[in-house]
Amino acid sequence: MKEKIRTRYAPSPTGMMHIGNLRTALYEYLIAKSSGGDFILRIEDTDQVRYKQGAEEAIYKALRCSGLKHDEGPDIGGSFGPYVQSQRKEHYLPYAKKLVEEGKAYYCFCTKERLETLKNEDSSEFGGYDRKCRDLDEKTINNLLSNGTAYVIRQKMPIEGSTTFRDEVFGEITVENKELQDQILIKADGFPTYNFANVIDDHEMQITDVVRGCEYLSSTPKYNLLYEAFGWQVPRYVHLPLIMGKNEDGSIAKLSKRHGSVGFEDLLSEGYLPEAIINYIALLGWCPEGNREIFSLEELTKEFSVQRISKSPSVFDYDKLEWFNGEYLRNEEIDKFTQHAEKYIQKAINGASLDIKKIASVLHQRVTKLTQIPEMIDFLANMPEYDKEIFINKKSKTNLENSLFCLKTAKEKLESLQSWDFNSIHEFLLNLALDLGLKNGTLMWPIRIAVSGRKMTPGGAIEILDILGKEESLRRIEAGIKKLESE
Ligand code: GLU
C-alpha cells in the first residue's frame, strides 16, 4: 500500500503571518492534499523569549481565511497530539537521555559566561563550542548532576566523514561533519531546541514530507544525524526557495518591509483578496505546466507537483499581485463583490443615502484593490473643488462655450424627466444629443464633469446621475453652469 503523505506546518508564534510562512503552509497543504494525505498544524513555541501574544491567533486566522484547512492541530486535536511543543516538554528529555546513554550526546555544564568568552576566541574549528564537556569522565558528570549544576545536553557530532542527504528541490547536498557544531538538544530551562524538537515531533507525528524554507538546508545534516542516531527513517525534504523583494535601484534582496507589506493580514487590509494572495504566492517558486495563471485552491491541489518547484529565488512583485487581485475582483459575482466593497463604499459616502449596489456595479470592473474605492468615489458624498478648464476636452470636442450650452439644455430638459433610473436617463440623453446634432461625448463630458468635478470617474455621466438621484444631480449641474458663467 502506498504510504499516506503527512506534511506539517510548524510555525513559531513570534509575530505576524509572513507571506513566506504562508507560502510554506500552502505548499505543505498542496503536497498533502494532491495525494489525499494529511496536513497537520504544529505550534513550535519552545523559544519562549520570542513568543508574541496574539501570534497564535494570527496563524489560525490566516489558515482559516486562506482555506488551508488542517486535519490535525492544537484546536482540533488528532491522534498524535499534543500539537503545541510547550505541551510536549516531557517527550523530549527521555530521547535526549537515551542519546547520552548511547554516547551520542553529552551533558554540558559550561556556564553562559564561559560560552560568551568562547565567542570572542577563535573556536571555529568546532563551529562555535569548543567541546570542553564532550569527554568528561563519568564521576565528574555524576557529581555535577547530583550537585544540581545547570546543564544542557549537546549532540556529539562525528569528527570525521561527511553527511549527505537529498532534497527534492535542491538535489544532493553534502557537508563535512567537522563543520557541524555539537548543537544543544535540551536547553538549561529543560525546553528542547527547535533543532531537536522538530526531529522528535516529525518522527512521532509520522511526518513523511518535511517542507520548509531553504534557510534550514544547512541544518538538515544535523537532523539527519539525529534520525540516524535513533535509527529512524529520514523524511523526504522539500526546501523552498527564498522570496526576494525588488529594491528601488532594481537589485533584489530578501523580501522585507521596505519592499512593501509582508504580512498576510497587512495585505488583506490593503484590499487584496485571500484567494488572489494564495493564487499569486502559489506561483512564487512553483510553475504549472502551460501558461495558465489563475488557479483556485482546488485547482492548485490538482495541478501541484513537487517536481515543478524551482530552487531559484522568486521575486515578490506587488504589481503582479494587484493584477491577480483585479482578476479575482472582476470575476466575482456582483453580490459577492458588493459584499467585499461595501465597507469601503460606506467609508467614502460617509452616511449619505446612496444605493450601495449601484455604486458597486460601476466599480466592479474597474477596481484592482479594494482600498482604491474611497478615493475613486469620494466625489459622490462631497462635490470636490474643480477648475473649469477641465470642461475642455479635445476628444469629446468640448470647450467652455459648448459645455455651458450643454449643461443649460440638459438641466432644463432633465427637470422634466419623470422616472430617474439608468435606462430612462440613458435614452433621454442619447435622444437629446441626437436632437441637438451633437456627438454623445460632447453632451456627456460636461455633464460628468459637473456632477463629479473629476476628469476620471468610475462610470460615466449616466451612471453618476443615476447614483446621485435627480435632485442632487440637477443641483450640481446648476453649480457647473454658475461656474462656467463666472469669469
Ligand atoms: N518553527 C520553524 C519556523 O517557524 C519551522 C521550521 C520547520 O518547518 O521545520 O521557522
Side-chain angles (χ1 to χ4, degrees):
M1 205 180 80
K2 219 178 123 217
E3 115 193 288
K4 190 172 195 185
I5 301 286
R6 286 173 60 82
T7 60
R8 88 299 193 266
Y9 175 48
S12 303
T14 52
M16 58 162 181
M17 173 67 108
H18 189 282
I19 211 67
N21 290 341
L22 187 63
R23 185 195 60 175
T24 304
L26 171 64
Y27 283 19
E28 277 156 353
Y29 173 89
L30 293 173
I31 290 170
K33 294 298 150 189
S34 57
S35 69
D38 290 333
F39 170 59
I40 289 116
L41 173 65
R42 179 172 79 224
I43 302 287
E44 300 204 325
D45 60 348
T46 52
D47 191 345
Q48 300 282 312
V49 182
R50 288 176 62 224
Y51 186 89
K52 285 245 165 53
Q53 210 70 33
E56 261 175 79
E57 199 32 58
I59 293 166
Y60 288 117
K61 210 170 143 198
L63 292 180
R64 209 178 313 124
C65 179
S66 52
L68 306 181
K69 202 168 165 292
H70 49 285
D71 301 294
E72 296 165 31
D75 53 338
I76 51 174
S79 321
F80 300 89
Y83 293 90
V84 180
Q85 279 184 336
S86 58
Q87 293 166 20
R88 301 174 63 78
K89 205 174 161 189
E90 66 278 12
H91 286 235
Y92 310 108
L93 193 58
Y95 283 112
K97 287 198 165 154
K98 186 164 180 279
L99 291 181
V100 173
E101 275 161 31
E102 292 173 3
K104 294 167 181 164
Y106 60 92
Y107 292 105
C108 168
F109 302 94
C110 291
T111 58
K112 251 202 203 125
E113 292 70 33
R114 171 160 201 278
L115 296 175
E116 269 312 306
T117 58
L118 280 184
K119 276 190 193 155
N120 306 325
E121 288 167 19
D122 183 20
S123 47
S124 51
E125 195 190 343
F126 304 118
Y129 177 58
D130 67 356
R131 297 179 169 170
K132 177 168 185 274
C133 297
R134 184 165 160 136
D135 298 308
L136 291 182
D137 60 75
E138 221 176 303
K139 203 168 145 224
T140 314
I141 297 170
N142 288 338
N143 274 343
L144 287 164
L145 285 178
S146 54
N147 287 346
T149 315
Y151 67 83
V152 301
I153 296 181
R154 288 184 185 271
Q155 186 179 358
K156 208 181 248 184
M157 293 300 179
I159 310 253
E160 289 168 346
S162 59
T163 304
T164 298
F165 72 98
R166 198 188 128 66
D167 179 80
E168 297 297 314
V169 176
F170 288 81
E172 201 156 277
I173 295 183
T174 300
V175 289
E176 295 303 318
N177 291 336
K178 63 173 189 293
E179 283 166 19
L180 302 173
Q181 186 183 181
D182 282 359
Q183 62 170 346
I184 297 178
L185 305 178
I186 301 287
K187 296 183 276 188
D189 61 5
F191 271 100
T193 53
Y194 160 75
N195 286 331
F196 190 49
N198 90 90
V199 171
I200 305 298
D201 289 345
D202 285 343
H203 171 73
E204 287 199 340
M205 294 180 182
Q206 296 180 13
I207 301 304
T208 58
D209 294 59
V210 167
V211 184
R212 61 182 161 220
C214 60
E215 64 273 22
Y216 288 97
L217 264 179
S218 60
S219 304
T220 303
K222 300 184 211 166
Y223 309 146
N224 282 358
L225 287 168
L226 284 172
Y227 281 101
E228 216 174 86
F230 287 117
W232 294 340
Q233 191 187 338
V234 173
R236 245 185 319 270
Y237 289 112
V238 182
H239 285 91
L240 306 179
L242 283 176
I243 302 182
M244 313 296 277
K246 205 180 225 147
N247 299 329
E248 265 167 28
D249 65 2
S251 59
I252 57 170
K254 200 169 170 200
L255 183 69
S256 71
K257 272 199 182 133
R258 71 194 157 105
H259 299 115
S261 293
V262 292
F264 179 62
E265 284 206 46
D266 292 340
L267 290 172
L268 292 182
S269 53
E270 271 180 31
Y272 295 106
L273 297 176
E275 301 90 308
I277 300 174
I278 286 290
N279 191 159
Y280 178 58
I281 64 173
L283 301 173
L284 275 182
W286 170 80
C287 75
E289 284 177 51
N291 297 326
R292 185 172 157 201
E293 291 187 291
I294 301 288
F295 292 94
S296 66
L297 186 56
E298 213 183 329
E299 290 164 338
L300 284 171
T301 306
K302 290 200 188 107
E303 289 284 319
F304 198 81
S305 70
V306 171
Q307 290 70 38
R308 300 190 70 86
I309 299 177
S310 154
K311 64 178 170 193
S312 19
S314 39
V315 180
F316 196 99
D317 178 347
Y318 288 88
D319 293 336
K320 187 75 187 181
L321 173 61
E322 190 167 328
W323 176 83
F324 272 96
N325 207 51
E327 289 293 303
Y328 273 84
L329 288 170
R330 270 192 291 285
N331 288 323
E332 279 184 333
E333 298 282 332
I334 181 65
D335 286 344
K336 179 128 184 255
F337 175 77
T338 308
Q339 249 178 37
H340 280 140
E342 177 158 7
K343 180 171 97 185
Y344 299 90
I345 297 176
Q346 295 286 14
K347 191 169 159 198
I349 64 175
N350 199 14
S353 66
L354 298 172
D355 187 325
I356 302 289
K357 200 160 173 189
K358 275 186 192 166
I359 301 175
S361 307
V362 299
L363 291 167
H364 191 192
Q365 298 302 311
R366 299 174 170 95
V367 171
T368 52
K369 240 161 99 168
L370 293 167
T371 38
Q372 295 162 335
I373 292 177
E375 203 182 316
M376 285 167 90
I377 57 165
D378 58 358
F379 66 88
L380 291 174
N382 297 304
M383 186 62 196
E385 286 298 322
Y386 66 101
D387 189 342
K388 69 177 169 189
E389 298 303 309
I390 65 171
F391 280 110
I392 305 169
N393 181 267
K394 215 166 155 193
K395 199 164 154 242
S396 305
K397 297 195 184 343
T398 57
N399 52 41
L400 296 180
E401 292 73 40
N402 66 7
S403 290
L404 180 58
F405 168 75
C406 285
L407 288 187
K408 277 184 156 172
T409 318
K411 181 171 179 260
E412 195 190 311
K413 303 275 180 193
L414 281 167
E415 264 162 4
S416 63
L417 180 63
Q418 290 308 314
S419 51
W420 195 271
D421 55 66
F422 181 86
N423 288 338
S424 313
I425 305 168
H426 183 257
E427 197 185 328
F428 189 86
L429 288 180
L430 257 49
N431 282 335
L432 180 61
L434 205 65
D435 289 349
L436 297 173
L438 292 173
K439 276 176 60 169
N440 290 341
T442 313
L443 178 62
M444 300 300 179
W445 180 271
I447 296 178
R448 193 164 61 83
I449 297 292
V451 293
S452 71
R454 291 274 175 81
K455 276 205 248 183
M456 304 257 284
T457 54
I462 300 164
E463 278 112 332
I464 299 171
L465 289 170
D466 180 27
I467 290 168
L468 289 174
K470 186 170 179 177
E471 199 186 324
E472 177 64 10
S473 299
L474 293 179
R475 201 185 60 72
R476 291 187 182 194
I477 294 174
E478 178 59 32
I481 294 171
K482 294 244 164 64
K483 188 183 272 280
L484 282 168
E485 283 175 342
S486 68
E487 274 314 301

